[in-house]
Amino acid sequence: MTTNNDQDHLIPIDHPRYESLKYRHKIIEGMKALVVAEAGLIAHGRGECFDYMLGEKTNETAKDAIEAAVALLLTATHPVISVNGNTAALCPNELVDLSEIINAPLEINLFYRKEGRIEAIKKVLEEAGAKQILGLDELKMVEIEELSSNRRNVDPNGIKIADVVFVPLEDGDRTEALKKIGKKIVAVDLNPISRTSIWADITIVDNIVRVVPEMIKIAKKLKETDEKNLKNIIKRFDNKKNIQFSLNTIIKYTKKQKKKTFIKLKKKNKNQNLIK
Ligand code: PTJ
């Protein structure tokens, strides 16, 4: 008998949407294991929609943002990687590798609190090789007053003292609040006009599953260069322009698809008329 748990075996590797279905499945399995919040499924769907309109690939605009992001994280005194349910389900191994390479601890910070979620995410990260995880002991957490959501509880050794916070897949409020208390923010958000995207210092408009491996690659390279070079990369980067370029990519891609679809529809109508 086929059950929901067998769904991954049903995706043939040559399926044209294999990659997308594979990550959908990770999110579904993550939700069953309490790693992903129910709302995480909806957030993923929203991300998929934007990814589709960006051509589902890492473009040059995103690569520029990734390079600047890595440079900023490497020059930070206390960089921190904030981990939520979706990111833990989608790319745990890569998050652990990035954390080691850029020397930034992983801190679990959740929007949707539910008993067992922190433990479930901790397990996933530990299985991926994480040695140190922040944000685990709720009694030791301190509050960020500027924030009213659950995310206000942060680790005193992590986000609280961080100068640069990496926040992949965020809900709107936090970036704004963290900016107000003087943190620099690197965001990953497929929606270039979300509040997070607009408030962040560096906005990477791309899918987290492609971003983190690319960050690892760039970090290995940039670690070999000097501080002056890293600072120049940061100085050259213009987030406002980068967001505009991402929006242009969506517009261009949509126009191209519109043309292609019209050609297909024309052909289809012709064939149907021939059959008649
Ligand atoms: O695990 P929790 O409790 O901390 O909750 C995590 C979610 C993601 C559910 C929570 O932060 C949330 O509700 O976020 P939002 O407000 O839905 O925003 C998530 C943003 O991430 C949206 O703008 C999506 O387009 C974007 N997004 C979704 N999937 C991806 C993505 N961006 C990059 N890569 C993705 N795979």
Side-chain angles (χ1 to χ4, degrees):
M1 192 182 80
T2 305
T3 68
N4 276 347
N5 293 334
D6 294 329
Q7 282 175 6
D8 54 341
H9 305 303
L10 299 179
I11 312 167
I13 197 128
D14 59 349
H15 190 290
R17 308 265 335 132
Y18 176 78
E19 281 294 304
S20 171
L21 293 175
K22 182 179 86 181
Y23 288 113
R24 253 187 201 188
H25 192 79
K26 281 182 192 258
I27 289 286
I28 294 168
E29 286 305 311
M31 192 201 70
K32 289 183 194 161
L34 284 181
V35 171
V36 174
E38 281 94 342
L41 268 71
I42 298 163
H44 186 78
R46 188 191 294 175
E48 274 187 349
C49 179
F50 279 104
D51 204 12
Y52 203 81
M53 294 197 291
L54 283 155
E56 294 176 304
K57 55 176 190 256
T58 303
N59 52 52
E60 290 308 312
T61 305
K63 279 189 187 164
D64 286 347
I66 289 172
E67 189 189 43
V70 172
L72 186 65
L73 286 158
L74 285 174
T75 50
T77 313
H78 288 293
V80 172
I81 301 175
S82 183
V83 180
N84 65 19
N86 286 49
T87 52
L90 290 172
C91 48
N93 297 307
E94 293 80 358
L95 286 171
V96 172
D97 288 351
L98 180 68
S99 158
E100 275 171 19
I101 291 165
I102 63 171
N103 209 6
L106 299 165
E107 175 168 339
I108 300 175
N109 181 276
L110 304 180
F111 187 78
Y112 296 100
R113 287 279 160 124
K114 189 176 186 176
E115 219 188 312
R117 280 199 73 206
I118 289 184
E119 291 70 24
I121 295 172
K122 175 179 176 262
K123 186 168 171 258
V124 166
L125 293 176
E126 281 177 350
E127 281 170 4
K131 289 176 198 85
Q132 194 210 354
I133 303 165
L134 300 175
L136 296 179
D137 188 347
E138 297 206 45
L139 295 174
K140 287 194 184 143
M141 296 299 120
V142 291
E143 285 195 2
I144 291 181
E145 279 171 25
E146 286 73 5
L147 198 52
S148 53
S149 79
N150 276 326
R151 291 204 193 276
R152 72 182 173 279
N153 300 307
V154 297
D155 198 298
N157 298 312
I159 292 171
K160 178 70 184 171
I161 56 160
D163 51 344
V164 180
V165 190
F166 179 43
V167 293
L169 276 71
E170 277 282 321
D171 37 275
D173 300 358
R174 184 160 68 142
T175 302
E176 199 174 334
L178 292 177
K179 282 299 305 160
K180 280 185 187 152
I181 54 170
K183 316 273 183 201
K184 289 228 183 282
I185 303 296
V186 172
V188 178
D189 196 329
L190 278 158
N191 176 2
I193 50 170
S194 72
R195 273 187 303 148
T196 300
S197 290
I198 288 165
W199 272 91
D201 295 276
I202 298 177
T203 309
I204 304 168
V205 183
D206 194 12
N207 197 321
I208 187 72
V209 302
R210 295 188 298 268
V211 170
V212 185
E214 186 68 20
M215 285 178 89
I216 293 170
K217 207 170 89 188
I218 306 267
K220 282 181 184 163
K221 235 191 315 175
L222 289 188
K223 263 185 101 167
E224 305 303 319
T225 67
D226 58 16
E227 177 111 0
K228 198 171 150 215
N229 181 41
L230 297 177
K231 290 212 165 128
N232 277 336
I233 292 172
I234 300 165
K235 213 166 133 192
R236 274 201 310 267
F237 182 75
D238 182 335
N239 205 42
K240 196 169 130 196
K241 271 198 187 139
N242 201 269
I243 290 175
Q244 284 169 344
F245 287 156
S246 297
L247 283 165
N248 286 344
T249 306
I250 292 179
I251 293 165
K252 261 197 218 154
Y253 186 78
T254 312
K255 275 190 180 162
K256 203 169 135 194
Q257 292 309 312
K258 183 180 165 191
K259 249 191 198 164
K260 271 189 173 176
T261 308
F262 272 136
I263 294 169
K264 276 187 201 158
L265 284 173
K266 248 187 177 172
K267 266 192 196 157
K268 188 183 141 207
N269 286 346
K270 230 185 189 173
N271 287 343
Q272 277 177 345
N273 286 339
L274 282 176
I275 292 165
K276 274 187 205 163

